[in-house]
Short mmCIF file of all heavy atoms in Angstrom, two decimals:
data_model
loop_
_atom_site.label_atom_id
_atom_site.label_comp_id
_atom_site.label_asym_id
_atom_site.label_seq_id
_atom_site.Cartn_x
_atom_site.Cartn_y
_atom_site.Cartn_z
N MET A 231 -17.24 140.40 -30.78
CA MET A 231 -18.64 141.00 -30.57
C MET A 231 -19.25 140.80 -31.93
O MET A 231 -18.77 141.18 -33.00
CB MET A 231 -18.43 142.36 -30.24
CG MET A 231 -19.80 143.00 -30.10
SD MET A 231 -19.99 144.68 -29.53
CE MET A 231 -18.51 145.43 -29.07
N ALA A 232 -20.55 140.41 -32.03
CA ALA A 232 -21.37 140.19 -33.13
C ALA A 232 -22.59 141.01 -33.06
O ALA A 232 -23.26 141.06 -32.09
CB ALA A 232 -21.68 138.85 -33.38
N ILE A 233 -23.06 141.65 -34.13
CA ILE A 233 -24.20 142.36 -34.24
C ILE A 233 -25.03 141.84 -35.24
O ILE A 233 -24.63 141.55 -36.39
CB ILE A 233 -23.83 143.82 -34.65
CG1 ILE A 233 -23.04 144.60 -33.58
CG2 ILE A 233 -25.17 144.70 -34.71
CD1 ILE A 233 -22.28 145.95 -34.12
N LYS A 234 -26.31 141.37 -34.76
CA LYS A 234 -27.18 140.66 -35.55
C LYS A 234 -28.51 141.40 -35.76
O LYS A 234 -28.96 142.10 -34.76
CB LYS A 234 -27.47 139.30 -35.05
CG LYS A 234 -26.30 138.41 -35.03
CD LYS A 234 -26.66 137.02 -34.44
CE LYS A 234 -25.50 136.13 -34.51
NZ LYS A 234 -25.81 135.02 -33.77
N GLY A 235 -29.08 141.42 -36.96
CA GLY A 235 -30.37 142.04 -37.05
C GLY A 235 -30.81 141.98 -38.56
O GLY A 235 -30.04 142.26 -39.37
N ALA A 236 -32.08 141.46 -38.65
CA ALA A 236 -32.74 141.38 -39.99
C ALA A 236 -31.84 140.58 -41.05
O ALA A 236 -31.67 141.02 -42.11
CB ALA A 236 -33.17 142.71 -40.44
N GLY A 237 -31.42 139.53 -40.65
CA GLY A 237 -30.59 138.73 -41.60
C GLY A 237 -29.08 139.27 -41.75
O GLY A 237 -28.51 138.79 -42.76
N LEU A 238 -28.76 140.19 -40.93
CA LEU A 238 -27.52 140.83 -41.07
C LEU A 238 -26.54 140.39 -39.98
O LEU A 238 -26.93 140.47 -38.79
CB LEU A 238 -27.61 142.34 -41.20
CG LEU A 238 -26.27 143.03 -41.23
CD1 LEU A 238 -25.52 142.94 -42.62
CD2 LEU A 238 -26.60 144.52 -41.02
N CYS A 239 -25.46 139.83 -40.26
CA CYS A 239 -24.52 139.52 -39.18
C CYS A 239 -23.21 140.16 -39.59
O CYS A 239 -22.54 139.99 -40.52
CB CYS A 239 -24.43 137.90 -39.26
SG CYS A 239 -23.15 137.47 -37.94
N MET A 240 -22.81 141.08 -38.62
CA MET A 240 -21.52 141.82 -38.74
C MET A 240 -20.70 141.60 -37.49
O MET A 240 -21.08 141.73 -36.41
CB MET A 240 -21.80 143.27 -38.84
CG MET A 240 -20.64 144.09 -39.18
SD MET A 240 -21.12 145.85 -39.68
CE MET A 240 -21.74 146.51 -38.25
N VAL A 241 -19.41 141.19 -37.80
CA VAL A 241 -18.52 140.99 -36.77
C VAL A 241 -17.69 142.24 -36.58
O VAL A 241 -17.03 142.67 -37.55
CB VAL A 241 -17.62 139.64 -36.90
CG1 VAL A 241 -16.67 139.53 -35.82
CG2 VAL A 241 -18.50 138.59 -37.02
N VAL A 242 -17.58 142.75 -35.33
CA VAL A 242 -16.68 143.82 -35.02
C VAL A 242 -15.50 143.50 -34.22
O VAL A 242 -15.60 142.82 -33.26
CB VAL A 242 -17.55 144.98 -34.42
CG1 VAL A 242 -16.75 146.17 -34.02
CG2 VAL A 242 -18.73 145.36 -35.13
N GLY A 243 -14.37 143.81 -34.83
CA GLY A 243 -13.14 143.42 -34.06
C GLY A 243 -12.67 144.60 -33.15
O GLY A 243 -12.87 145.73 -33.47
N VAL A 244 -12.18 144.20 -32.06
CA VAL A 244 -11.83 145.08 -31.09
C VAL A 244 -10.28 144.94 -30.96
O VAL A 244 -9.75 143.92 -30.63
CB VAL A 244 -12.34 144.86 -29.69
CG1 VAL A 244 -11.91 145.85 -28.65
CG2 VAL A 244 -14.01 144.85 -29.79
N SER A 245 -9.62 146.00 -31.21
CA SER A 245 -8.21 146.18 -31.31
C SER A 245 -7.72 146.19 -29.85
O SER A 245 -8.14 146.93 -28.95
CB SER A 245 -7.65 147.32 -32.04
OG SER A 245 -6.33 147.55 -31.92
N ARG A 246 -6.55 145.50 -29.62
CA ARG A 246 -6.02 145.46 -28.19
C ARG A 246 -4.94 146.51 -28.22
O ARG A 246 -4.45 147.02 -27.05
CB ARG A 246 -5.38 144.07 -27.96
CG ARG A 246 -6.29 143.06 -27.80
CD ARG A 246 -5.63 141.76 -27.47
NE ARG A 246 -6.60 140.74 -27.26
CZ ARG A 246 -6.44 139.47 -26.74
NH1 ARG A 246 -5.37 139.25 -26.12
NH2 ARG A 246 -7.43 138.64 -26.67
N HIS A 247 -4.52 147.15 -29.28
CA HIS A 247 -3.44 148.15 -29.35
C HIS A 247 -4.20 149.53 -29.56
O HIS A 247 -4.88 149.71 -30.68
CB HIS A 247 -2.49 147.86 -30.33
CG HIS A 247 -1.79 146.58 -30.17
ND1 HIS A 247 -0.88 146.36 -29.22
CD2 HIS A 247 -1.91 145.39 -30.87
CE1 HIS A 247 -0.48 145.10 -29.27
NE2 HIS A 247 -1.13 144.54 -30.31
N ARG A 248 -4.04 150.45 -28.72
CA ARG A 248 -4.62 151.79 -29.01
C ARG A 248 -3.68 152.58 -29.81
O ARG A 248 -2.43 152.54 -29.61
CB ARG A 248 -4.80 152.49 -27.62
CG ARG A 248 -5.84 151.91 -26.91
CD ARG A 248 -6.14 152.72 -25.71
NE ARG A 248 -7.13 153.67 -26.12
CZ ARG A 248 -7.45 154.71 -25.27
NH1 ARG A 248 -6.94 154.90 -24.17
NH2 ARG A 248 -8.45 155.53 -25.60
N THR A 249 -4.23 153.32 -30.74
CA THR A 249 -3.62 154.16 -31.50
C THR A 249 -3.23 155.48 -30.68
O THR A 249 -4.14 155.86 -30.00
CB THR A 249 -4.28 154.44 -32.91
OG1 THR A 249 -5.49 155.11 -32.56
CG2 THR A 249 -4.26 153.33 -33.65
N PRO A 250 -2.01 156.06 -30.83
CA PRO A 250 -1.89 157.28 -29.94
C PRO A 250 -2.79 158.34 -30.37
O PRO A 250 -2.96 158.60 -31.59
CB PRO A 250 -0.35 157.60 -30.23
CG PRO A 250 -0.02 156.90 -31.38
CD PRO A 250 -0.97 155.64 -31.59
N ARG A 251 -3.35 159.12 -29.43
CA ARG A 251 -4.28 160.20 -29.73
C ARG A 251 -3.55 161.42 -29.98
O ARG A 251 -2.50 161.73 -29.23
CB ARG A 251 -5.28 160.48 -28.73
CG ARG A 251 -6.24 159.38 -28.62
CD ARG A 251 -7.32 159.68 -27.57
NE ARG A 251 -8.47 158.90 -27.76
CZ ARG A 251 -9.63 159.07 -27.17
NH1 ARG A 251 -9.81 160.13 -26.52
NH2 ARG A 251 -10.67 158.29 -27.46
N ARG A 252 -3.90 162.19 -30.94
CA ARG A 252 -3.26 163.52 -31.12
C ARG A 252 -4.07 164.58 -30.55
O ARG A 252 -5.36 164.46 -30.83
CB ARG A 252 -3.00 163.75 -32.67
CG ARG A 252 -1.87 162.97 -33.19
CD ARG A 252 -1.55 163.25 -34.61
NE ARG A 252 -2.47 162.74 -35.43
CZ ARG A 252 -2.82 163.06 -36.66
NH1 ARG A 252 -2.28 164.04 -37.26
NH2 ARG A 252 -3.65 162.38 -37.39
N ARG A 253 -3.66 165.54 -29.84
CA ARG A 253 -4.45 166.64 -29.29
C ARG A 253 -4.82 167.59 -30.50
O ARG A 253 -4.06 167.77 -31.34
CB ARG A 253 -3.61 167.34 -28.22
CG ARG A 253 -3.41 166.45 -27.11
CD ARG A 253 -2.57 167.10 -26.08
NE ARG A 253 -3.10 168.45 -25.61
CZ ARG A 253 -2.49 169.21 -24.97
NH1 ARG A 253 -1.31 168.93 -24.34
NH2 ARG A 253 -3.01 170.51 -24.55
N LEU A 254 -5.98 167.96 -30.44
CA LEU A 254 -6.42 168.89 -31.58
C LEU A 254 -5.79 170.19 -31.54
O LEU A 254 -5.31 170.65 -32.67
CB LEU A 254 -8.07 169.11 -31.40
CG LEU A 254 -8.65 169.87 -32.43
CD1 LEU A 254 -8.50 169.22 -33.79
CD2 LEU A 254 -10.23 170.09 -32.20
N PHE A 255 -5.58 170.98 -30.41
CA PHE A 255 -4.90 172.20 -30.32
C PHE A 255 -3.67 171.99 -29.59
O PHE A 255 -3.36 172.71 -28.63
CB PHE A 255 -5.90 173.12 -29.72
CG PHE A 255 -7.08 173.36 -30.44
CD1 PHE A 255 -8.28 172.81 -29.84
CD2 PHE A 255 -7.12 174.06 -31.52
CE1 PHE A 255 -9.52 173.04 -30.62
CE2 PHE A 255 -8.38 174.31 -32.25
CZ PHE A 255 -9.49 173.87 -31.71
N GLN A 256 -2.78 171.18 -30.17
CA GLN A 256 -1.48 170.91 -29.61
C GLN A 256 -0.54 172.06 -29.89
O GLN A 256 -0.41 172.52 -30.98
CB GLN A 256 -0.84 169.70 -30.05
CG GLN A 256 0.52 169.34 -29.45
CD GLN A 256 0.90 167.93 -29.76
OE1 GLN A 256 0.29 167.30 -30.70
NE2 GLN A 256 1.95 167.55 -29.15
N ARG A 257 0.16 172.59 -28.87
CA ARG A 257 1.12 173.85 -29.09
C ARG A 257 2.40 173.27 -29.76
O ARG A 257 2.94 172.37 -29.27
CB ARG A 257 1.33 174.40 -27.73
CG ARG A 257 0.22 175.22 -27.21
CD ARG A 257 0.54 176.01 -25.99
NE ARG A 257 1.42 177.00 -26.38
CZ ARG A 257 1.39 178.33 -26.27
NH1 ARG A 257 0.20 178.67 -25.82
NH2 ARG A 257 2.23 179.06 -26.46
N ARG A 258 2.69 173.95 -30.70
CA ARG A 258 4.09 173.70 -31.31
C ARG A 258 5.28 174.59 -30.79
O ARG A 258 4.91 175.60 -30.29
CB ARG A 258 3.92 173.93 -32.91
CG ARG A 258 2.95 173.04 -33.64
CD ARG A 258 2.96 173.27 -34.91
NE ARG A 258 1.83 172.72 -35.63
CZ ARG A 258 1.49 172.73 -36.78
NH1 ARG A 258 2.18 173.54 -37.59
NH2 ARG A 258 0.51 172.02 -37.36
N ARG A 259 6.44 174.14 -30.87
CA ARG A 259 7.51 174.83 -30.43
C ARG A 259 7.58 176.15 -31.35
O ARG A 259 7.64 176.09 -32.49
CB ARG A 259 8.68 174.06 -30.54
CG ARG A 259 10.01 174.69 -30.02
CD ARG A 259 11.21 173.66 -30.00
NE ARG A 259 12.34 174.33 -29.70
CZ ARG A 259 13.44 174.31 -30.20
NH1 ARG A 259 13.58 173.43 -31.35
NH2 ARG A 259 14.54 175.02 -29.81
N ASP A 260 7.67 177.27 -30.61
CA ASP A 260 7.69 178.56 -31.27
C ASP A 260 9.10 178.97 -31.45
O ASP A 260 9.86 179.37 -30.50
CB ASP A 260 6.77 179.59 -30.65
CG ASP A 260 6.70 180.92 -31.36
OD1 ASP A 260 6.99 180.89 -32.53
OD2 ASP A 260 6.31 181.88 -30.79
N ASP A 261 9.61 179.10 -32.74
CA ASP A 261 10.99 179.50 -32.87
C ASP A 261 11.10 181.09 -33.13
O ASP A 261 12.18 181.58 -33.26
CB ASP A 261 11.70 178.85 -34.09
CG ASP A 261 10.95 179.10 -35.52
OD1 ASP A 261 9.80 179.50 -35.40
OD2 ASP A 261 11.63 178.99 -36.45
N LEU A 262 9.83 181.73 -33.14
CA LEU A 262 9.93 183.18 -33.20
C LEU A 262 10.79 183.78 -32.03
O LEU A 262 11.50 184.79 -32.24
CB LEU A 262 8.58 183.78 -33.35
CG LEU A 262 8.43 185.29 -33.43
CD1 LEU A 262 9.08 185.73 -34.63
CD2 LEU A 262 6.99 185.72 -33.32
N ILE A 263 10.53 183.23 -30.85
CA ILE A 263 11.37 183.80 -29.77
C ILE A 263 12.86 183.60 -29.89
O ILE A 263 13.54 184.43 -29.61
CB ILE A 263 10.70 183.21 -28.40
CG1 ILE A 263 9.22 183.44 -28.26
CG2 ILE A 263 11.62 183.49 -27.17
CD1 ILE A 263 8.65 182.73 -27.04
N GLU A 264 13.07 182.42 -30.41
CA GLU A 264 14.55 182.23 -30.64
C GLU A 264 15.05 183.10 -31.60
O GLU A 264 16.39 183.49 -31.54
CB GLU A 264 14.75 180.66 -30.96
CG GLU A 264 14.40 179.77 -29.89
CD GLU A 264 14.59 178.18 -30.41
OE1 GLU A 264 14.92 178.15 -31.52
OE2 GLU A 264 14.21 177.39 -29.64
N ARG A 265 14.36 183.44 -32.65
CA ARG A 265 14.90 184.29 -33.73
C ARG A 265 14.93 185.76 -33.36
O ARG A 265 15.43 186.62 -34.00
CB ARG A 265 14.05 184.18 -34.95
CG ARG A 265 14.21 182.79 -35.58
CD ARG A 265 13.43 182.75 -36.92
NE ARG A 265 11.96 182.58 -36.67
CZ ARG A 265 11.00 183.15 -37.28
NH1 ARG A 265 11.16 183.87 -38.28
NH2 ARG A 265 9.64 182.85 -36.92
N SER A 266 14.16 186.14 -32.26
CA SER A 266 14.11 187.54 -31.78
C SER A 266 15.30 187.94 -30.86
O SER A 266 15.49 189.13 -30.54
CB SER A 266 12.81 187.67 -30.86
OG SER A 266 11.82 187.46 -31.66
N PHE A 267 16.28 186.95 -30.61
CA PHE A 267 17.40 187.43 -29.63
C PHE A 267 18.62 186.93 -30.46
O PHE A 267 18.71 186.07 -31.31
CB PHE A 267 17.28 186.64 -28.53
CG PHE A 267 16.28 187.23 -27.45
CD1 PHE A 267 14.99 186.66 -27.56
CD2 PHE A 267 16.44 188.41 -26.78
CE1 PHE A 267 13.96 187.12 -26.71
CE2 PHE A 267 15.32 188.84 -26.01
CZ PHE A 267 14.16 188.26 -25.99
N ARG A 268 19.79 187.61 -30.19
CA ARG A 268 21.05 187.23 -30.66
C ARG A 268 22.12 187.55 -29.58
O ARG A 268 21.89 188.30 -28.72
CB ARG A 268 21.34 188.11 -31.97
CG ARG A 268 21.49 189.47 -31.67
CD ARG A 268 21.68 190.33 -32.85
NE ARG A 268 21.47 191.86 -32.65
CZ ARG A 268 22.25 192.71 -32.97
NH1 ARG A 268 23.31 192.61 -33.71
NH2 ARG A 268 22.00 194.08 -32.77
N PRO A 269 23.22 187.00 -29.59
CA PRO A 269 24.15 187.14 -28.56
C PRO A 269 24.92 188.38 -28.74
O PRO A 269 25.31 188.92 -29.89
CB PRO A 269 25.12 185.85 -28.72
CG PRO A 269 25.06 185.48 -30.11
CD PRO A 269 23.62 185.77 -30.55
N CYS A 270 25.36 189.04 -27.61
CA CYS A 270 26.13 190.23 -27.63
C CYS A 270 27.52 189.97 -28.05
O CYS A 270 28.08 188.97 -27.34
CB CYS A 270 26.05 191.05 -26.29
SG CYS A 270 27.09 192.33 -26.07
N PRO A 271 28.12 190.44 -28.87
CA PRO A 271 29.67 190.23 -29.29
C PRO A 271 30.58 190.52 -28.09
O PRO A 271 31.63 189.81 -28.05
CB PRO A 271 29.93 191.13 -30.49
CG PRO A 271 28.88 192.12 -30.68
CD PRO A 271 27.72 191.65 -29.85
N ALA A 272 30.26 191.33 -27.17
CA ALA A 272 31.19 191.79 -26.08
C ALA A 272 30.90 190.77 -24.83
O ALA A 272 32.01 190.20 -24.33
CB ALA A 272 30.95 193.02 -25.54
N CYS A 273 29.72 190.48 -24.36
CA CYS A 273 29.58 189.69 -23.21
C CYS A 273 28.77 188.34 -23.47
O CYS A 273 28.60 187.64 -22.53
CB CYS A 273 28.90 190.48 -22.21
SG CYS A 273 27.08 190.87 -22.63
N SER A 274 28.35 188.08 -24.67
CA SER A 274 27.61 186.83 -25.13
C SER A 274 26.31 186.83 -24.51
O SER A 274 25.67 185.65 -24.43
CB SER A 274 28.48 185.57 -24.79
OG SER A 274 29.71 185.68 -25.58
N THR A 275 25.72 187.80 -23.87
CA THR A 275 24.32 187.84 -23.32
C THR A 275 23.37 188.00 -24.41
O THR A 275 23.61 188.74 -25.27
CB THR A 275 24.14 188.91 -22.20
OG1 THR A 275 25.23 188.89 -21.29
CG2 THR A 275 22.89 188.93 -21.68
N ASP A 276 22.25 187.30 -24.34
CA ASP A 276 21.25 187.42 -25.32
C ASP A 276 20.61 188.82 -25.34
O ASP A 276 20.16 189.30 -24.25
CB ASP A 276 20.06 186.43 -25.22
CG ASP A 276 20.57 184.96 -25.59
OD1 ASP A 276 21.54 184.89 -26.42
OD2 ASP A 276 19.98 184.01 -25.09
N VAL A 277 20.53 189.46 -26.48
CA VAL A 277 19.89 190.71 -26.70
C VAL A 277 18.92 190.78 -27.75
O VAL A 277 18.94 189.80 -28.73
CB VAL A 277 21.00 191.86 -26.99
CG1 VAL A 277 21.95 192.17 -25.76
CG2 VAL A 277 21.75 191.49 -28.03
N HIS A 278 17.89 191.44 -27.84
CA HIS A 278 16.89 191.65 -28.84
C HIS A 278 17.66 192.03 -30.17
O HIS A 278 18.56 192.79 -30.07
CB HIS A 278 15.76 192.61 -28.45
CG HIS A 278 14.61 192.53 -29.10
ND1 HIS A 278 14.37 193.13 -30.33
CD2 HIS A 278 13.44 191.66 -29.04
CE1 HIS A 278 13.20 192.77 -30.88
NE2 HIS A 278 12.73 191.90 -30.11
N VAL A 279 16.98 191.53 -31.28
CA VAL A 279 17.60 191.85 -32.64
C VAL A 279 17.63 193.26 -32.90
O VAL A 279 18.44 193.66 -33.71
CB VAL A 279 17.03 190.89 -33.60
CG1 VAL A 279 17.32 189.51 -33.52
CG2 VAL A 279 15.51 191.07 -33.72
N PHE A 280 16.58 194.05 -32.40
CA PHE A 280 16.63 195.44 -32.77
C PHE A 280 17.25 196.38 -31.69
O PHE A 280 17.19 197.58 -31.76
CB PHE A 280 15.12 195.88 -33.03
CG PHE A 280 14.47 195.23 -34.11
CD1 PHE A 280 13.24 194.45 -33.88
CD2 PHE A 280 14.94 195.28 -35.42
CE1 PHE A 280 12.75 193.88 -35.09
CE2 PHE A 280 14.29 194.63 -36.34
CZ PHE A 280 13.25 193.92 -36.23
N ALA A 281 17.84 195.83 -30.72
CA ALA A 281 18.55 196.58 -29.79
C ALA A 281 19.90 197.22 -30.32
O ALA A 281 20.57 196.52 -31.13
CB ALA A 281 18.97 195.71 -28.50
N ASP A 282 20.18 198.47 -29.95
CA ASP A 282 21.41 199.08 -30.43
C ASP A 282 22.49 199.22 -29.33
O ASP A 282 23.57 199.46 -29.52
CB ASP A 282 21.19 200.51 -30.96
CG ASP A 282 20.36 201.45 -29.98
OD1 ASP A 282 20.03 200.94 -28.96
OD2 ASP A 282 20.28 202.63 -30.31
N VAL A 283 22.07 199.02 -27.98
CA VAL A 283 22.96 198.93 -26.81
C VAL A 283 22.61 197.70 -26.09
O VAL A 283 21.42 197.38 -25.79
CB VAL A 283 22.85 200.23 -26.04
CG1 VAL A 283 23.55 200.12 -24.85
CG2 VAL A 283 23.17 201.43 -26.82
N CYS A 284 23.61 196.91 -25.63
CA CYS A 284 23.45 195.74 -24.65
C CYS A 284 23.03 196.22 -23.26
O CYS A 284 23.70 197.13 -22.80
CB CYS A 284 24.69 194.96 -24.61
SG CYS A 284 24.64 193.52 -23.54
N ARG A 285 22.08 195.68 -22.69
CA ARG A 285 21.67 196.13 -21.35
C ARG A 285 22.60 195.62 -20.30
O ARG A 285 22.71 196.10 -19.25
CB ARG A 285 20.21 195.45 -20.92
CG ARG A 285 19.15 196.11 -21.69
CD ARG A 285 17.77 195.63 -21.21
NE ARG A 285 16.75 196.36 -21.76
CZ ARG A 285 15.40 195.99 -21.41
NH1 ARG A 285 15.10 194.92 -20.77
NH2 ARG A 285 14.42 196.81 -21.93
N HIS A 286 23.28 194.52 -20.54
CA HIS A 286 24.06 193.96 -19.59
C HIS A 286 25.40 194.61 -19.47
O HIS A 286 25.82 195.06 -18.32
CB HIS A 286 24.33 192.52 -19.98
CG HIS A 286 25.15 191.64 -18.94
ND1 HIS A 286 26.49 191.42 -19.16
CD2 HIS A 286 24.88 191.13 -17.84
CE1 HIS A 286 26.88 190.63 -18.14
NE2 HIS A 286 25.90 190.57 -17.32
N CYS A 287 26.10 194.78 -20.55
CA CYS A 287 27.55 195.48 -20.48
C CYS A 287 27.53 196.90 -21.12
O CYS A 287 28.48 197.55 -20.92
CB CYS A 287 28.55 194.61 -21.31
SG CYS A 287 28.25 194.62 -23.19
N GLY A 288 26.50 197.35 -21.72
CA GLY A 288 26.37 198.71 -22.31
C GLY A 288 27.13 198.87 -23.59
O GLY A 288 27.30 199.88 -24.16
N GLY A 289 27.54 197.75 -24.20
CA GLY A 289 28.33 197.77 -25.44
C GLY A 289 27.43 198.19 -26.64
O GLY A 289 26.20 197.88 -26.67
N GLU A 290 28.03 198.80 -27.65
CA GLU A 290 27.29 199.15 -28.79
C GLU A 290 26.94 197.87 -29.76
O GLU A 290 27.84 197.02 -29.85
CB GLU A 290 28.06 200.05 -29.66
CG GLU A 290 28.19 201.48 -29.00
CD GLU A 290 26.87 202.31 -29.06
OE1 GLU A 290 26.13 202.21 -30.07
OE2 GLU A 290 26.60 202.93 -28.06
N LEU A 291 25.73 197.71 -30.19
CA LEU A 291 25.45 196.68 -31.21
C LEU A 291 25.17 197.13 -32.49
O LEU A 291 24.63 198.24 -32.65
CB LEU A 291 24.18 196.06 -30.57
CG LEU A 291 24.32 195.36 -29.13
CD1 LEU A 291 22.95 194.95 -28.61
CD2 LEU A 291 25.29 194.23 -29.08
N GLU A 292 25.60 196.38 -33.49
CA GLU A 292 25.27 196.79 -34.80
C GLU A 292 23.98 196.12 -35.35
O GLU A 292 23.87 194.92 -35.16
CB GLU A 292 26.49 196.20 -35.76
CG GLU A 292 26.58 196.73 -37.00
CD GLU A 292 27.73 196.22 -37.70
OE1 GLU A 292 28.99 196.32 -37.27
OE2 GLU A 292 27.67 195.63 -38.94
N LEU A 293 23.19 196.77 -35.94
CA LEU A 293 21.89 196.33 -36.37
C LEU A 293 22.21 195.54 -37.74
O LEU A 293 22.84 196.20 -38.62
CB LEU A 293 20.78 197.44 -36.72
CG LEU A 293 20.25 198.06 -35.42
CD1 LEU A 293 19.34 199.17 -35.89
CD2 LEU A 293 19.53 197.06 -34.82
N ARG A 294 21.70 194.32 -37.80
CA ARG A 294 21.96 193.55 -39.05
C ARG A 294 20.73 193.71 -39.93
O ARG A 294 19.64 193.36 -39.32
CB ARG A 294 22.31 192.10 -38.76
CG ARG A 294 23.64 191.97 -38.02
CD ARG A 294 23.92 190.50 -37.84
NE ARG A 294 23.44 190.07 -36.59
CZ ARG A 294 23.44 188.86 -36.04
NH1 ARG A 294 23.72 187.95 -36.93
NH2 ARG A 294 23.05 188.65 -34.76
N ALA A 295 20.80 193.69 -41.15
CA ALA A 295 19.74 193.62 -42.15
C ALA A 295 19.58 192.14 -42.45
O ALA A 295 20.54 191.42 -42.76
CB ALA A 295 20.13 194.40 -43.38
N SER A 296 18.30 191.81 -42.47
CA SER A 296 17.94 190.39 -42.79
C SER A 296 17.42 190.19 -44.16
O SER A 296 16.60 190.92 -44.61
CB SER A 296 16.86 189.84 -41.72
OG SER A 296 17.46 189.89 -40.57
#
């Protein structure tokens, strides 16, 4: 494709390969949810990090300091 005007000739190349588009507001994987749970030592069910009792088996959980 050529653009001409007032003594100016510019050739514009058209690429056959499209560059992949990145979404502007693409959601990233949130590891906060993964960090909010830990396995119960008695039954291996996921429990919240601040829980002191497992909802599944009723076992006592030890709060860990991070």
Side-chain angles (χ1 to χ4, degrees):
M231 174 175 6
I233 301 172
K234 296 181 183 179
L238 176 70
C239 180
M240 184 169 68
V241 178
V242 178
V244 178
S245 175
R246 292 184 183 196
H247 303 286
R248 289 188 88 183
T249 57
R251 288 187 166 193
R252 286 185 281 164
R253 293 175 52 187
L254 184 59
F255 298 106
Q256 186 174 5
R257 293 186 60 116
R258 296 182 191 173
R259 187 172 170 227
D260 186 14
D261 65 341
L262 178 62
I263 295 172
E264 294 174 6
R265 291 183 285 140
S266 297
F267 293 94
R268 61 184 170 138
C270 172
C273 65
S274 299
T275 302
D276 286 338
V277 292
H278 195 269
V279 291
F280 296 126
D282 55 350
V283 177
C284 177
R285 287 182 170 182
H286 185 257
C287 69
E290 293 287 323
L291 300 171
E292 193 175 305
L293 288 177
R294 290 187 265 169
S296 296

